[in-house]
Amino acid sequence: MVKCSPLQKGFEWVYQNFKKNTATMLVITGTVGWGLSSLAQVGAVLFNPKIKKEQKGFLVPQALLDAAVNIGCFFAITQSAKKIISKLASTGKIAPDKVRTFLNKNKDLYGDKVGKLSLDLDEVIKQNPKFPKESYYSYKNYVTTMGTLGASILASNIVTPVIRNSMASDMQKKYLNKRPQPMPSSGSMKI
């Protein structure tokens, strides 16, 4: 009998839990990645001896704010997209040809419900063994994954930078206004 290493067991667990739901894996790994990246950024500021204490007083809160915006926007946008697209697939609003054909052949049961929240194709699968479940599951996984990937690109490259830069600008203005202003020398005043 061959013993599996803990790493191999970990890979097997990931595969078993995410093979039918790749979008969830994208959301989780993306969020964890943003978290680790943010932690590294804060650590780099905190432990860099070349950065003055006064600068750290501004840079650490700035990095923490960036972390909150990065992680929050990424998770909220990708998770929302995943749920919406998954719901569209489970109501039949978006569906592969085999599923549409099945629904059209069974119009008396599902015809007026297609695309409405009252229809849940995951429940139809349990009730009807002739439902093309492999086609449905692979399609649902595909569209949910692609939609989540698109949402992650939108969140990371468009929404997050706009929000983060706006907040950073406000934070910098407040910081500069709080700093003691140097007094003008008496020789520089003109009458």
Side-chain angles (χ1 to χ4, degrees):
M1 182 168 137
V2 177
K3 283 194 169 191
C4 292
S5 71
L7 187 60
Q8 183 65 33
K9 286 180 184 178
F11 287 144
E12 183 63 28
W13 182 87
V14 168
Y15 174 73
Q16 290 302 324
N17 286 287
F18 295 118
K19 68 182 176 185
K20 290 185 179 176
N21 198 348
T22 313
T24 298
M25 185 181 73
L26 287 174
V27 172
I28 291 170
T29 57
T31 304
V32 169
W34 272 113
L36 293 173
S37 173
S38 299
L39 184 63
Q41 180 68 27
V42 171
V45 171
L46 277 176
F47 300 114
N48 188 337
K50 294 178 183 177
I51 299 176
K52 296 176 188 172
K53 188 176 182 180
E54 179 185 296
Q55 289 175 314
K56 287 181 183 182
F58 170 74
L59 293 174
V60 169
Q62 175 76 29
L64 292 172
L65 180 67
D66 281 355
V69 171
N70 292 339
I71 295 166
C73 284
F74 180 85
F75 182 78
I77 292 170
T78 55
Q79 184 69 5
S80 297
K82 181 179 83 79
K83 285 188 175 194
I84 290 167
I85 294 168
S86 179
K87 192 63 177 171
L88 289 171
S90 68
T91 62
K93 185 77 171 175
I94 55 174
D97 289 338
K98 286 183 181 181
V99 172
R100 290 213 178 274
T101 301
F102 173 84
L103 293 172
N104 286 335
K105 284 182 182 176
N106 295 284
K107 272 191 177 194
D108 53 322
L109 294 172
Y110 313 113
D112 61 332
K113 295 180 183 178
V114 174
K116 296 181 179 160
L117 295 176
S118 60
L119 180 62
D120 184 0
L121 295 179
D122 294 307
E123 290 299 316
V124 172
I125 290 170
K126 294 174 187 174
Q127 299 166 1
N128 194 325
K130 293 182 180 182
F131 186 87
K133 69 180 182 179
E134 288 303 317
S135 179
Y136 167 70
Y137 282 132
S138 65
Y139 179 80
K140 183 178 178 183
N141 185 33
Y142 175 76
V143 296
T144 306
T145 301
M146 289 298 109
T148 302
L149 184 61
S152 72
I153 292 167
L154 175 75
S156 300
N157 298 311
I158 297 172
V159 176
T160 299
V162 169
I163 293 172
R164 186 179 61 221
N165 291 344
S166 174
M167 292 174 79
S169 174
D170 290 344
M171 192 173 184
Q172 184 180 27
K173 285 176 189 172
K174 288 177 186 174
Y175 173 75
L176 291 174
N177 288 337
K178 285 183 182 179
R179 283 185 20 185
Q181 301 297 320
M183 296 295 290
S185 63
S186 59
S188 66
M189 292 180 64
K190 295 183 179 180
I191 300 180

